[in-house]
Amino acid sequence: MHLPKITIVGAGQVGSTAAHLMAKKELGNLVLLDIDVGMAQGKALDIAEAGPVEGFDVDVSGTDDYADIAGSEVVVITAGSPRQPGMERTELLRRNVRVVAAASREIARHAPEAYIVLVTNPLDAMVCAAQEVTGFPAHRVMGMAGVLDSARMRRFIAQELGVSGKDVTAMVLGGHGDRMVPVTGSSTVGGIPLTELLPRERLDAIVERTRHGGGEVVELLKTGSAYYAPGASIVDMVESIVRDQRRIRPVAAYLKGEYGIEDLYIGVPAIIGAGGVERVVEIGLTDSERLQFDASVDTVREMIDEARDALDAGS
Ligand code: APR
């Protein structure tokens, strides 16, 4: 069986969790790349050794050499620092944009045909940096955030109603951060609109918790940030690409006039398949959601400017 090659740059908590799940699904042969080569090799070996027990047969290798990513169909970037409690957004951005830009240069050189899925935060600015540095067509560079944010929302809705999260759909738009826009009007439970099942104040509480879902985990962990749900969300997107599933997912995609927005990466629903972001899907927003989306657009634009400044200052 031909298996695609999938590279994960950053073999830390998120990267290695995603790698293990991809191996279990036999999505592809995996390369874990990290500046800490021993860690990448050790985790790769450990995952490969789970294969006989879990019943998967894929190659998993670790490296610090970008030459080893040649031929990758998909490259996931998780490299960078996770958010620490109390860390300023600007500090995280300055640190991580340099890491993402360096990785992007190498990807452009060694895997010029790859699709890139960005995970490093602050997400929307990192996706934009990766696209600008690689010069790849925008549909080949996307960011994973909405799948995670909507998974959190689905979980909170399921808990509130005492039903299976599998039956809950949710859509979260906008930038990845506390300005994200959970769209309750697009959420359903077993096909029933969520707005018919929960009163407004319970919906508002769920929306608020979703907005701070990442922070809630950071506060509890004290060091590092979430990785199980982020790992699973990465796998969901990569699977849709390598198996051409054409799932509709909220994804940080490049807008060329959709939602009335030009030239910006931000979270919107899109069809994800073998062609990457194949089509952005426009959904109706209430007046209040539209205002929130516009505020989120402003925040993302500011972050992108900060990221460009940080890169110019470093070059
Ligand atoms: N090249 C390759 N790998 C790097 C580089 C680099 N220039 N800089 C850092 N790394 C690696 C680190 O060595 C580490 O193994 O990135 C990895 C990051 O892993 P963790 O510190 O465990 O962070 P993690 O929890 O996985 O989060 C990674 O995902 O969800 C986001 O906000 C999160 O931006 C963060 C990213």
Side-chain angles (χ1 to χ4, degrees), residues 23-60:
K24 284 186 81 158
K25 290 190 155 206
E26 297 187 318
L27 282 193
N29 291 318
L30 307 175
V31 176
L32 303 188
L33 186 146
D34 202 288
I35 37 169
D36 183 344
V37 66
M39 205 260 289
Q41 289 172 336
K43 287 195 173 177
L45 182 61
D46 195 14
I47 291 170
E49 288 169 354
V53 184
E54 292 182 341
F56 61 77
D57 272 314
V58 295
D59 296 334
V60 193

Side-chain angles (χ1 to χ4, degrees), residues 9-15 33-36 39 43 66 77-83 92 96 98-99 102-103 119-122 224-227 230:
V9 179
Q13 301 279 51
V14 174
L33 186 146
D34 202 288
I35 37 169
D36 183 344
M39 205 260 289
K43 287 195 173 177
Y66 276 94
I77 305 181
T78 76
S81 305
R83 181 153 55 122
L92 183 72
N96 283 351
R98 292 203 181 97
V99 172
V119 181
T120 308
N121 277 315
S225 51
Y227 49 96

Side-chain angles (χ1 to χ4, degrees), residues 103-175:
S104 301
R105 266 178 229 115
E106 297 289 348
I107 294 164
R109 184 159 160 231
H110 294 282
E113 304 300 324
Y115 289 83
I116 301 183
V117 178
L118 249 296
V119 181
T120 308
N121 277 315
L123 196 263
D124 307 86
M126 297 302 120
V127 192
C128 177
Q131 193 278 324
E132 288 182 0
V133 170
T134 57
F136 286 5
H139 69 272
R140 279 212 271 132
V141 185
M142 68 201 89
M144 189 294 293
V147 175
L148 170 63
D149 294 329
S150 59
R152 287 179 172 144
M153 186 167 164
R154 290 167 67 193
R155 172 68 192 153
F156 301 150
I157 293 166
Q159 252 180 327
E160 177 82 23
L161 291 170
V163 300
S164 165
K166 287 189 281 192
D167 288 337
V168 182
T169 62
M171 190 51 75
V172 176
L173 308 187

Side-chain angles (χ1 to χ4, degrees), residues 284-298:
L285 301 176
T286 63
D287 290 347
S288 140
E289 286 162 354
R290 182 71 227 192
L291 282 175
Q292 291 171 41
F293 186 72
D294 289 342
S296 188
V297 164
D298 291 343

